[in-house]
Amino acid sequence: MYRQIPLDVEYTFNDNLIYEIDKDGLITFANLKFCEVVGYRRSELIGKNHTVFKHPDVPQTIYDNICIESKKLRRWFFTLKNIRRDGMFFWSNIHCTPRYNDINELIGFIIVHKPASKLDIEEENQRYKNYN
């Protein structure tokens, strides 16, 4: 996959978007709505690192903190600016839940994106500015 050129055009969505990653952050599943919103076919996403959606406006420190939270093996909730294949961006509230196998070993995470509110977006934009 290539790195997208960010456009100053927002894409909005209304449905829940779901994908799953393994412990290394590689995508193992994506629902059709998620594929539609990010602009990739499912076959293009499977096996790719989920950071493919990282918008350049998002400070790396925020992504690093997400990884730290994930390694603590607990649920977390975040508002994040994401980038689509075509360069448009979309904001989402993200809920991440650990996935375990039958013998209670961590095998990955289920990630659900929901549309972010204007207030969530304003607060997150301010947080991005504080990192710069």
Side-chain angles (χ1 to χ4, degrees):
M1 288 195 190
Y2 62 94
R3 273 288 161 206
Q4 304 89 334
I5 297 171
L7 303 173
D8 193 21
V9 179
E10 184 170 5
Y11 182 91
T12 58
F13 65 98
N14 295 317
D15 299 307
N16 289 343
L17 315 176
I18 301 169
Y19 70 99
E20 297 178 11
I21 58 173
D22 64 15
K23 292 189 298 186
D24 298 319
L26 301 180
I27 299 169
T28 58
F29 169 80
N31 74 353
L32 289 177
K33 287 293 183 184
F34 184 79
C35 295
E36 180 181 306
V37 169
V38 298
Y40 291 97
R41 290 186 304 272
R42 185 179 290 150
S43 61
E44 294 175 299
L45 291 174
I46 303 301
K48 303 296 183 218
N49 193 288
H50 72 110
T51 58
V52 69
F53 314 115
K54 180 188 177 297
H55 194 282
D57 287 354
V58 180
Q60 185 59 43
T61 307
I62 290 177
Y63 261 81
D64 294 344
N65 288 341
I66 290 171
C67 291
I68 289 168
E69 289 296 312
S70 298
K71 289 184 186 346
K72 290 180 183 175
L73 309 181
R74 58 188 175 118
R75 297 174 189 207
W76 54 264
F77 177 82
F78 229 82
T79 301
L80 207 56
K81 187 176 188 180
N82 306 275
I83 193 165
R84 292 170 29 95
R85 180 182 203 154
D86 61 9
M88 294 174 69
F89 68 90
F90 65 99
W91 285 94
S92 55
N93 289 331
I94 301 170
H95 187 260
C96 178
T97 304
R99 279 185 51 226
Y100 299 93
N101 64 13
D102 293 338
I103 56 174
N104 210 29
E105 295 172 327
L106 178 73
I107 58 172
F109 300 90
I110 300 169
I111 300 165
V112 179
H113 289 246
K114 295 182 178 190
S117 71
K118 289 185 189 282
L119 179 59
D120 290 336
I121 294 168
E122 288 173 15
E123 289 175 354
E124 197 63 19
N125 266 323
Q126 186 58 48
R127 193 169 117 167
Y128 292 176
K129 289 176 187 172
N130 292 341
Y131 276 95
N132 296 327

